Amino acid sequence: MKPDLRKALDTQVLVGDGAMGTFLYQMGFPVGISYEELNLTNPDVIKDVHRRYVEAGARVLETNTFSANFDKLSKYGLETKVGEINRAGVRIAREAAGANGYVVGAVGSIRGGKRTNVSTGELKKYFEQQIQAILTEGVDGILLETFYDVEELVLALSIARRLTDAPVICQFAVEDVARTLDGYTMPEAFRIMQQEGADCIGFNCRTGPNGIMSAMKTLGGHLPAPMSVYPNAGVADYVDGEYQYGAGPEYFGQMAVKFADLGSRLIGGCCGTTPAHIAAIAGALEGYVPESIAYEPIPEQAAPVVLHEHLKPEEKREPTLVDLVKQRHTVIVELDPPRDLDISKFMDGANRLKQAGADALTLADNSLAVTRMSNMALGHLVQVETGLRPLVHIACRDRNLIGTQSHMMGFDALGIDHVLAVTGDPARFGDLPGSSSVYDLTSFEIIRMIKQLNEGIAFSGKPLKQKAKFVVGAAFNPHGKHLDKAVKRLERKIEAGADYIMTQPVYDPELIRAVREATSHLDIPIFMGIMPLASGRNAEYLHNEVPGIQLSDDVRSRMAGLEGEEGRAMGVRIAKELLDVAMDNFNGIYLMTPFTLYEMSAQLIEHVWKKSGRQLSPLFR
């Protein structure tokens, strides 16, 4: 008989399976369906995937239940089938695993590292419902995977521990290898999970082998429990309408031995991995005899650690853009709200930009005084339906003091906390020239007033019952004859309370360098604006007719006479050249999408991540 999974993890290096979601995608199942529903509609397909991994050498199979919880399934109208889908997932995996294989019930994060409307009470209910269904069919353990923050993982672990004595494996998905999304160092996070009863702790998804190796090294060699690692197959690339991954099987085999040497006792693959990757891991570990490890609690760190009974996930806050840009290159992308009632193309664009890896989607507030759909409504839809962080512009032109405070209170209620304060182009230049420009506030004053809300004080000076949490940006136009005067104006915005800066689009590499030198004394991040040109006519229009934008002679010459696909290709090429310079001088990148041609912006986002080496992959699992 095979040993208990807990004992096996103490004495062996077990080979896990590879990706389910991305492998199904490669087999022709489209993104946008529930892969977990296939447990009911196409069980033979799921069993075949499991079988291929077993034949490749996997001894530990994950059930196809990663997103089989009430919240995720409700998006497909499947919320009444939580139990049925999870039970079927276990049965299928058990049939494929055979007598010597282990089956672990896969339970994924519900929040997915984003602010959601799912309350703590709902999280408890959804986790309990799914885990209970998995346990009814009998599994060798529970795998809690792709969790971005300690609080949610502790919550899921506490429920699993209450329901079963079976081994529980806990895996973090990390973007910043040093910390979880809610700010815990990896040693702190591992110590908490061990204290709360995890039998095996590790990493999966979000990054390739190198990123996970870096995260492991932050532990300093201290292991409180056996480790598990399930890396992605490197960076996802979008080629000819399909996602492709670059890390091959041979590389995975080489890294598997290194993972085992560092204490990993369960090694598999996540997004982009295939049976070939698992075969390489199994081959590399054949005959491997792990050294005995004396597991012990990680030493206390200087920062205090709070255990789960005191945690309130709804009060924790994910890192702001200001936090992110201090650590790595960060990309915000502007996509204009539509001028009519059809939002389908806009939402398609938002989803594509999310897939490409945008950190935030920024929405203008009736830019150029042209009437567009409310960025509050669209920002909320983007946040709920795509998970992208919305960054909304607030123009002084359209609302008086009453309307502006009401607007800001609405954003706070919706959890939209990143804003850009702008003056706004005069109404007489827009599509409704007979309308009035309000301008109760200047851009300096609106920044101060918004930051006043963060102190719990209304525009009227009366106290509010709670404080807002707005992160306020300011606009910067580096064009003009006197850059030093523009910087002086910028300094006033910072004195008013601006937390970050977004520039007008720049088309001259030398101006990018000049802005860097002129602003080097400032202690808040700057997002350098880049907007790809769509055609020669577009270039001339921007240069000659749009306030605050100037193109270099070289750019205008290269774009001259180009239209259609040829014009867009040259526009992207020029933008990539500018991005190379911008990235050398700034961590913050602000991409503006012309004419809702979001594929152009997506190509530029992917260029940024390729140049920076940041590991990304869509969460298909």
Side-chain angles (χ1 to χ4, degrees):
M1 291 181 62
K2 65 186 179 187
D4 170 80
L5 179 59
R6 190 179 280 110
K7 182 177 181 180
L9 289 170
D10 279 335
T11 58
Q12 306 176 35
V13 178
L14 299 177
V15 177
D17 57 7
M20 176 63 75
T22 55
F23 194 61
L24 290 169
Y25 171 75
Q26 292 171 20
M27 293 171 65
F29 290 90
V31 176
I33 68 170
S34 169
Y35 291 146
E36 287 75 13
E37 187 184 15
L38 298 177
N39 293 343
L40 304 179
T41 60
N42 293 81
D44 290 342
V45 169
I46 303 303
K47 184 177 179 180
D48 181 58
V49 174
H50 286 318
R51 179 188 56 78
R52 294 191 200 192
Y53 283 124
V54 170
E55 292 176 352
R59 287 198 63 200
V60 180
L61 294 184
E62 299 178 40
T63 58
N64 180 38
T65 55
F66 172 74
S67 294
N69 58 70
F70 183 97
D71 181 67
K72 295 293 192 294
L73 291 177
S74 66
K75 295 176 172 57
Y76 306 98
L78 299 170
E79 62 273 18
T80 62
K81 296 187 177 183
V82 172
E84 190 178 354
I85 288 173
N86 280 279
R87 290 191 293 272
V90 177
R91 290 195 297 269
I92 295 168
R94 179 61 72 195
E95 290 173 7
N100 293 320
Y102 297 94
V103 172
V104 292
V107 177
S109 165
I110 294 175
R111 283 185 164 152
K114 302 295 181 183
R115 292 184 66 176
T116 70
N117 293 326
V118 181
S119 68
T120 303
E122 289 171 324
L123 283 177
K124 292 179 180 178
K125 181 171 66 175
Y126 299 161
F127 281 131
E128 181 167 357
Q129 181 185 27
Q130 182 182 8
I131 294 171
Q132 186 68 66
I134 287 171
L135 292 172
T136 60
E137 290 294 329
V139 288
D140 297 295
I142 296 293
L143 173 63
L144 305 176
E145 60 169 325
T146 323
F147 281 75
Y148 293 79
D149 58 81
V150 170
E151 284 88 342
E152 187 187 14
L153 185 49
V154 165
L155 186 66
L157 175 58
S158 67
I159 292 169
R161 271 285 149 258
R162 176 164 52 83
L163 295 176
T164 181
D165 292 327
V168 180
I169 303 163
C170 296
Q171 293 184 158
F172 290 102
V174 294
E175 184 147 327
D176 173 2
V177 299
R179 291 183 179 272
T180 62
L181 196 59
D182 50 348
Y184 290 87
T185 66
M186 296 320 305
E188 289 171 343
F190 269 56
R191 186 173 73 253
I192 292 173
M193 301 319 300
Q194 187 270 332
Q195 290 172 345
E196 296 299 310
D199 296 282
C200 180
I201 313 168
F203 303 97
N204 78 288
C205 204
R206 203 60 182 169
T207 184
N210 185 65
I212 285 184
M213 183 69 70
S214 298
M216 290 175 66
K217 289 180 178 178
T218 65
L219 298 172
H222 298 290
L223 295 180
M227 288 195 65
S228 62
V229 293
Y230 283 70
N232 286 350
V235 180
D237 194 13
Y238 195 68
V239 180
D240 297 330
E242 294 184 353
Y243 288 100
Q244 299 179 4
Y245 290 79
E250 183 180 355
Y251 175 59
F252 261 65
Q254 295 168 359
M255 294 300 291
V257 176
K258 295 180 180 180
F259 285 135
D261 289 342
L262 287 176
S264 296
R265 294 297 177 258
L266 175 57
I267 304 173
C270 202
C271 297
T273 57
T274 66
H277 291 82
I278 302 308
I281 293 173
L285 294 174
E286 185 175 1
Y288 182 94
V289 179
E291 294 184 5
S292 178
I293 297 176
Y295 299 110
E296 56 185 11
I298 292 177
E300 290 286 335
Q301 306 295 308
V305 178
V306 184
L307 297 183
H308 75 275
E309 52 263 44
H310 304 298
L311 295 176
K312 296 181 180 179
E314 67 274 15
E315 294 182 2
K316 300 295 287 188
R317 191 181 191 191
E318 64 182 279
T320 68
L321 290 175
V322 174
D323 296 326
L324 292 179
V325 79
K326 290 178 180 178
Q327 302 169 17
R328 60 164 172 81
H329 284 103
T330 302
V331 180
I332 55 181
V333 187
E334 182 171 336
L335 190 65
D336 277 339
R339 296 177 63 176
D340 59 27
L341 301 179
D342 182 3
I343 66 169
S344 56
K345 184 176 182 180
F346 177 90
M347 295 305 296
D348 287 344
N351 278 295
R352 175 66 180 104
L353 296 171
K354 168 68 182 299
Q355 292 171 353
D359 290 298
L361 190 74
T362 182
L363 300 87
D365 191 11
N366 300 319
S367 59
L368 299 179
V370 173
T371 308
R372 293 180 179 271
M373 186 172 287
S374 160
N375 62 4
M376 175 186 282
L378 283 179
H380 179 63
L381 289 174
V382 164
Q383 183 173 247
V384 171
E385 296 188 15
T386 74
L388 255 179
R389 185 200 308 263
L391 187 164
V392 295
H393 301 196
I394 308 295
C396 302
R397 173 196 58 232
D398 296 334
R399 303 169 195 87
N400 62 13
L401 277 167
I402 297 170
T404 300
Q405 178 173 325
S406 174
H407 204 52
M408 298 308 305
M409 293 169 76
F411 283 129
D412 183 75
L414 292 172
I416 298 175
D417 55 7
H418 282 63
V419 298
L420 176 72
V422 297
T423 301
D425 303 293
R428 66 179 181 275
F429 296 134
D431 62 342
L432 293 173
S435 61
S436 302
S437 296
V438 182
Y439 295 131
D440 269 6
L441 298 164
T442 66
S443 58
F444 303 98
E445 291 168 336
I446 196 172
I447 292 171
R448 281 193 290 267
M449 299 298 266
I450 294 172
K451 295 307 284 281
Q452 185 172 301
L453 295 177
N454 287 357
E455 297 301 318
I457 301 173
F459 286 9
S460 65
K462 293 182 178 180
L464 300 170
K465 291 184 178 180
Q466 65 184 46
K467 298 179 180 180
K469 298 178 181 178
F470 291 113
V471 183
V472 185
F476 174 48
N477 181 7
H479 301 288
K481 296 180 180 179
H482 305 289
L483 181 58
D484 57 336
K485 291 184 179 179
V487 172
K488 290 294 183 184
R489 179 178 173 83
L490 182 58
E491 290 171 349
R492 289 175 54 204
K493 293 184 178 182
I494 296 173
E495 291 172 1
D499 298 302
Y500 62 95
I501 303 299
M502 295 166 61
T503 81
Q504 291 276 18
V506 175
Y507 294 94
D508 185 350
E510 290 307 313
L511 181 55
I512 294 174
R513 297 185 182 98
V515 170
R516 173 60 179 171
E517 182 176 350
T519 61
S520 60
H521 62 290
L522 303 179
D523 60 358
I524 68 171
I526 294 176
F527 288 81
M528 177 55 63
I530 304 290
M531 181 166 67
L533 299 164
S535 66
R537 287 185 296 117
N538 174 227
E540 290 304 306
Y541 167 75
L542 292 174
H543 179 75
N544 293 290
E545 299 186 34
V546 177
I549 297 181
Q550 292 183 8
L551 275 62
S552 67
D553 291 340
D554 175 66
V555 168
R556 294 172 65 196
S557 174
R558 293 170 68 183
M559 292 297 302
L562 300 181
E563 300 293 332
E565 188 65 35
E566 189 178 16
R568 292 192 291 274
M570 178 58 73
V572 168
R573 187 182 311 166
I574 292 171
K576 287 181 178 179
E577 295 168 5
L578 293 166
L579 277 174
D580 289 342
V581 179
M583 291 178 66
D584 289 339
N585 290 275
F586 298 94
N587 265 8
I589 300 298
Y590 169 30
L591 299 175
M592 284 152 269
T593 305
F595 309 114
T596 322
L597 296 170
Y598 51 79
E599 189 58 38
M600 297 178 74
S601 291
Q603 292 177 48
L604 297 180
I605 298 170
E606 291 161 355
H607 178 77
V608 171
W609 300 145
K610 183 177 180 180
K611 178 178 171 63
S612 69
R614 181 181 172 206
Q615 304 287 324
L616 286 174
S617 65
L619 295 179
F620 289 131
R621 289 173 67 92

